Amino acid sequence: MVKLRLYPTPEQELVLVGQGHAARTLWNLLHEWYTFHAPQRWPSIAEADEAIRQARREIDWLSALPAQTCQQVLKLYVQAWQAARRGARRRPHFHSRARTRLSIDVPQAGAMKIARLNRRWGEASLPLVGRVRFRYSRELPGLGDQAPAGRVTGARLVRETEGWYAAFRCAFQRENPAPGSHPGPAVGLDRGVAVPLATSDPGRPFVSHGPWLHPKERERLRRLERKAARQRRSAQRGQPASSRLQRTYAHIVELRGREKRRRADWHHKVTTELAARYGLVGVEQLNVRAMTASPRGSADRPSRRVAQKTGLNRAILGEGWSRVLALLDYKAVERGGVVVPVPARNTSLRCSACGHVDAKNRKSQAVFECTNPECGYGPVNADVNSAYNIKTDAIHTYEWPRGLACLTALGSRVDGRSVPAWRRRRPRRWLQPNRQPNRVVTA
């Protein structure tokens, strides 16, 4: 998928907004129809398609939506139910007007007639909209001599906080290198809050970033949120939001979108650099969803320190731990590297030099010092020590995929000390690395 910025005229933008709301409303109508018949009898795709055709002949606002887009909405809705039955995702739900991101599918790329005007601009035809310009910031396959081989199969138009984007679906063949063919060294990554990424590379132990929003932007966001709270208190219950409250929400969304784009930009740059430099990357197996669960208890069993846990959850979600791992996974495969997940147990309490595990090793959040009198390793940064342990566990897990390595006494040779002899245990299935074979990628 290649995502490029669209620049429609004001008249074209009004048409796109109308089509986006029509596609959202069609989803809601299909959801009402399917849930009304469920679970006694599920309507077939042919019945739903015939109902949509009849509705487009009788309803004016639905006839403004292209027929191919209506069929795509039906296809996506049916696929959502199929995925829910498999347990891959939750059930389809109602799409609210205020909280749903507008999107329009254009399944037929031939009718778009994509053309490149110059080095920076391109143009495409959108159904019932006309020719719309887009920023040519990335190469589309099959367009020009310098473009990669392949073709554009379709597009999805998405409305973001700052404007419209076209996510072009591209099909091309690419042979991935064999897993483990990357010549780079191994590294361990420890994800945190105080330090976003700590590595076992002595040349670059910390990978950090600045605040996603500048101090003045953060202060403006705080003022807008307080203003929105006052406006909500003065609004009448059951009535729609006033125009002033909607404008306040629009300003908040603008700042939140800016924060989101800066975070995504940092994630892509860092993961690309890590995948290009290292051949084996060890990461912790963290259940982020469980770690960031709501800290509020029940009336019978109230939780303690709710405000502190809420702030920690917000900080973890703000760093995007899951997104870093998802981006790093596919970028390492494209370059012949491997990402090896290892259990997170005792990685922050184990000494990377002697393998001694003790809760007292962690002097504070940032300081680690081994309490073993025969070792005396430290004081060092606790996140870096954890990254060394993750690296060692990942190497042993990758070399012994059946899980025969003992993960309680593995040192990282960070200071030239000898590593204790490791004992063999019964094989464990969760020690097998996530190896991905060579495959043909279709984006």
Side-chain angles (χ1 to χ4, degrees):
M1 184 181 68
V2 178
K3 190 175 181 180
L4 303 177
R5 174 76 180 272
L6 289 177
Y7 288 88
T9 62
E11 294 78 9
Q12 292 174 340
E13 187 171 2
L14 289 177
V15 177
L16 289 175
V17 171
Q19 291 185 2
H21 284 297
R24 179 189 57 82
T25 309
L26 178 59
W27 173 284
N28 293 335
L29 293 176
L30 288 172
H31 183 64
E32 291 290 339
W33 192 33
Y34 270 73
T35 54
F36 176 78
H37 289 283
Q40 288 79 10
R41 188 185 71 86
W42 293 93
S44 64
I45 298 180
E47 293 176 351
D49 183 66
E50 180 60 30
I52 292 175
R53 292 175 183 269
Q54 181 181 357
R56 294 187 72 253
R57 292 192 295 266
E58 299 176 357
I59 303 176
D60 295 337
W61 60 265
L62 190 57
S63 62
L65 192 65
Q68 296 82 3
T69 304
C70 295
Q71 295 175 356
Q72 194 70 9
V73 172
L74 173 61
K75 179 180 177 181
L76 293 177
Y77 184 80
V78 173
Q79 290 179 353
W81 269 112
Q82 293 174 353
R85 291 170 187 152
R86 295 194 308 267
R89 54 175 296 181
R90 64 176 183 174
R91 297 176 54 181
H93 58 89
F94 180 84
H95 285 183
S96 170
R97 180 184 181 91
R99 296 179 176 86
T100 303
R101 183 173 58 175
L102 298 183
S103 63
I104 308 167
D105 276 287
V106 185
Q108 297 179 354
M112 298 182 68
K113 300 179 182 178
I114 304 174
R116 185 168 185 175
L117 303 179
N118 49 47
R119 184 172 64 91
R120 296 184 177 182
W121 294 96
E123 200 174 42
S125 295
L126 303 181
L128 305 181
V129 178
R131 300 291 289 179
V132 180
R133 284 195 172 193
F134 60 88
R135 187 73 170 179
Y136 213 103
S137 55
R138 290 183 59 187
E139 293 288 345
L140 290 174
L143 296 178
D145 299 335
Q146 304 296 332
R151 62 189 181 92
V152 178
T153 60
R156 171 176 288 187
L157 313 180
V158 183
R159 186 187 185 186
E160 300 286 355
T161 57
E162 72 279 10
W164 284 86
Y165 284 84
F168 294 97
R169 290 186 289 268
C170 306
F172 57 94
Q173 291 186 348
R174 179 177 58 213
E175 295 294 335
N176 290 332
S181 61
H182 195 290
V187 70
L189 293 182
D190 179 75
R191 292 166 288 177
V193 175
V195 179
L197 288 178
T199 72
S200 60
D201 188 352
R204 191 183 184 187
F206 304 111
V207 182
S208 59
H209 58 78
W212 305 126
L213 291 178
H214 302 311
K216 291 187 177 181
E217 293 174 337
R218 180 65 61 183
E219 180 62 27
R220 182 169 181 264
L221 177 61
R222 188 179 298 110
R223 291 199 309 268
L224 289 172
E225 290 176 345
R226 293 173 179 172
K227 181 180 179 181
R230 291 195 302 269
Q231 292 174 340
R232 285 196 302 268
R233 287 196 299 267
S234 62
Q236 296 181 2
R237 184 179 299 273
Q239 296 296 326
S242 63
S243 299
R244 294 183 179 181
L245 181 56
Q246 291 180 2
R247 285 198 298 268
T248 305
Y249 282 152
H251 293 318
I252 294 176
V253 168
E254 180 183 357
L255 288 175
R256 291 295 186 186
R258 190 178 306 172
E259 179 183 12
K260 176 183 175 181
R261 292 191 299 273
R262 290 173 181 173
R263 184 189 302 113
D265 179 72
W266 184 81
H267 286 165
H268 276 285
K269 290 179 179 179
V270 169
T271 52
T272 300
E273 181 181 357
L274 293 174
R277 179 179 298 184
Y278 304 106
L280 186 145
V281 182
V283 294
E284 290 179 307
Q285 289 179 328
L286 299 176
N287 190 353
V288 181
R289 177 173 296 181
M291 294 175 62
T292 57
S294 176
R296 299 183 183 275
S298 59
D300 299 334
R301 301 180 61 182
S303 301
R304 297 181 302 172
R305 306 183 68 179
V306 175
Q308 292 85 341
K309 185 62 172 67
T310 303
L312 178 61
N313 291 351
R314 189 180 295 111
I316 292 175
L317 295 175
E319 292 297 333
W321 288 358
S322 299
R323 183 180 178 86
V324 169
L325 183 57
L327 296 178
L328 185 61
D329 196 10
Y330 83 85
K331 291 182 181 181
V333 172
E334 292 178 351
R335 293 161 177 79
V338 291
V339 177
V340 182
V342 299
R345 182 180 180 182
N346 292 332
T347 54
S348 60
L349 302 179
R350 187 172 74 236
C351 178
S352 60
C354 67
H356 177 64
V357 179
D358 188 1
K360 297 181 180 180
N361 289 343
R362 195 76 179 260
K363 302 302 180 182
S364 65
Q365 185 276 331
V367 179
F368 181 93
E369 186 173 1
C370 184
T371 58
N372 185 5
E374 299 180 359
C375 176
Y377 175 65
V380 295
N381 185 273
D383 295 331
V384 174
N385 177 79
S386 179
Y388 279 115
N389 291 327
I390 295 171
K391 171 188 173 182
T392 303
D393 295 349
I395 292 175
H396 283 266
T397 304
Y398 186 71
E399 290 180 353
W400 292 285
R402 293 182 178 271
L404 301 179
C406 173
L407 299 183
T408 59
L410 290 176
S412 297
R413 300 183 179 88
V414 296
D415 57 353
R417 299 172 186 265
S418 60
V419 180
W422 53 276
R423 302 184 302 273
R424 291 182 178 271
R425 282 185 176 181
R426 198 166 45 181
R428 295 183 179 180
R429 271 182 272 178
W430 48 263
L431 286 176
Q432 296 183 3
N434 184 19
R435 297 189 179 185
Q436 300 187 17
N438 186 17
R439 69 179 190 274
V440 176
V441 177
T442 302

